[in-house]
Each structure stands twice: as C-alpha cells, then as structure tokens.
Amino acid sequence: MLSDEAWRELLGQGTTRTFRERSVMLRQGSAGTHLLALTDGLAKVVCREPGGVVTWLAFRGPGDLLGEVSVFNGTPRTAEVVSLTPCTAVVLEAERFRRFVERRGLVVDLMRQALSRLRESDAHRTELLTLPVVVRLARALLRLVELTAPGAESDVVRLTGLSQEEIAQAIGVTRNAAITGLQRLRESGAVETARRAIVIKDMKVLRDWATTAP
C-alpha cells in the first residue's frame, strides 16, 4: 500500500468522479487509458466469462487502486469493476500516473500491493476448498468491515449494497447456502440482515465464527 503522503499526492494528479450505486466503473475488455483511486464507497471486481457466467474476484474499498494492471502492461482490462454503493474515485490518466510512479519511486510499493492481492486470491481459493460455509461467510464479512470501517471492534457496522447472490458468489456457494449461513450468524447474535444490508452486531462473535476449525 502507498503511504498516506504518497496517496494524497496521487489524488492530486487526477480529477474526482462520482459513481451511482450499481454503476460500471471500469469495463472488462476496454483499453487501459486510465485507472481509478477509490476514495469512498464499496466496489466489486468480477470477470464475465463467455456464456454469461460471472466470477467474483474481490471487493475493493477506500484506498484501493482500480485498473492499474492494464495501465502498466498495456493490455485490455481482464475484469470489470462495479460500484456496490455510491462511490467516489479520482480518475488518473495512464501516462501521468506512470510518470508519477517513476518520479516518486513507487514501483516497489505497487509490486508489494500486487503480491498482496495474489496472496489474497490464493488464501481465498484455499478457503473455498477447506472451510465450512459459515466460516467463509464470517471471514468475508470481516474483510468487508476492514474495507469500509477499518479498525472497528465494538461499534455496530452496517454493510450495505450487497445482495445475497453477491455474498454467495464471494464465498463460492449457492444463494440458498449463503442464506443458511447468514441464518446461523443471526441466531448467534453476530449479525442482523435486511434488504441489501448486513448489520454486524457483535464483532467478537463474528471473529469467533471466522476462526472456527473445520
């Protein structure tokens, strides 16, 4: 991740744009003419396969760069970014971003970020193969809390913009399995649910679920 100073300076290199809920922020297959620095809101990264299958890849929140890979390697975007809530981002033109990175000597920092995301993907694949549904669900919710309310421990956290289908995609199960997992978390007092909203009521209980052995 970039330092706070580098992030603030980076934001000064572009123009601010707002995205309505459920907007396509970056389209799969488009050229890497720019990237986005997300400053507010929650987004998802998905890959649309031939035949219409949609594969969930990641959630992204404030402080994340979106679309930087295609900016660096010059290839079309391999994934799509969609806003789950109203989002605000700074649009950074590709060449100006590359010059900024070179001038500030940030190549190593961005490489570390890329490696961190690879480790995140590897850990997610391992979870899909080894952990019970409710444990995967608890871990996914904790990651969302970290994205939208970093450092939250005891306060109630409200996660919005998520459908049950998206939660199911994120943990690699059917919608019905995700609903069953949410019911178990509700019964334990960890969460409450509403339409496209999950309220974390007890972080300790949710963390207990997330560390339950298979």
Side-chain angles (χ1 to χ4, degrees):
M1 297 295 291
L2 301 181
S3 67
D4 291 343
E5 178 186 357
W7 179 256
R8 287 193 298 270
E9 187 175 347
L10 176 65
L11 297 182
Q13 305 297 307
T15 56
T16 300
R17 180 179 172 185
T18 58
F19 297 85
R20 291 180 297 177
E21 181 180 337
R22 301 282 154 177
S23 297
V24 176
M25 302 172 73
L26 294 173
R27 192 172 299 280
Q28 184 174 334
S30 63
T33 56
H34 66 282
L35 70 155
L36 301 174
L38 187 59
T39 58
D40 188 55
L42 180 68
K44 67 175 179 178
V45 184
V46 298
C47 179
R48 300 189 180 277
E49 308 287 352
V53 176
V54 178
T55 302
W56 176 93
L57 298 177
F59 291 121
R60 296 289 180 240
D64 279 325
L65 293 176
L66 308 173
E68 74 277 14
V69 173
S70 62
V71 163
F72 277 117
N73 62 22
T75 59
R77 303 192 193 282
T78 58
E80 188 163 286
V81 180
V82 179
S83 59
L84 294 173
T85 65
C87 288
T88 304
V90 172
V91 181
L92 302 160
E93 187 271 332
E95 185 56 37
R96 187 173 185 179
F97 173 73
R98 288 192 290 263
R99 290 198 303 267
F100 174 79
V101 169
E102 292 174 1
R103 185 176 76 251
R104 285 294 309 266
L106 298 175
V107 173
V108 172
D109 296 270
L110 293 175
M111 287 178 61
R112 289 196 185 104
Q113 177 177 281
L115 289 173
S116 176
R117 288 182 174 179
L118 283 174
R119 288 194 295 270
E120 176 187 325
S121 296
D122 289 342
H124 179 255
R125 284 193 290 269
T126 300
E127 288 178 2
L128 294 183
L129 294 172
T130 62
L131 295 180
V133 170
V134 69
V135 178
R136 280 142 58 184
L137 176 57
R139 292 188 179 192
L141 295 178
L142 287 173
R143 291 190 188 105
L144 286 165
V145 169
E146 185 60 32
L147 283 175
T148 58
E153 286 297 334
S154 58
D155 293 339
V156 172
V157 178
R158 184 180 177 87
L159 303 172
T160 61
L162 293 161
S163 68
Q164 292 173 338
E165 288 83 0
E166 283 161 337
I167 294 170
Q169 287 177 354
I171 61 174
V173 298
T174 65
R175 180 174 176 271
N176 285 341
I179 291 172
T180 300
L182 285 169
Q183 181 177 345
R184 293 184 68 185
L185 294 180
R186 280 198 306 269
E187 291 171 349
S188 70
V191 306
E192 289 182 356
T193 58
R195 186 177 182 274
R196 285 195 175 174
I198 299 174
V199 180
I200 310 301
K201 300 289 290 184
D202 193 320
M203 288 291 293
K204 182 182 183 304
V205 173
L206 187 63
R207 290 188 187 282
D208 288 344
W209 275 110
T211 55
T212 300

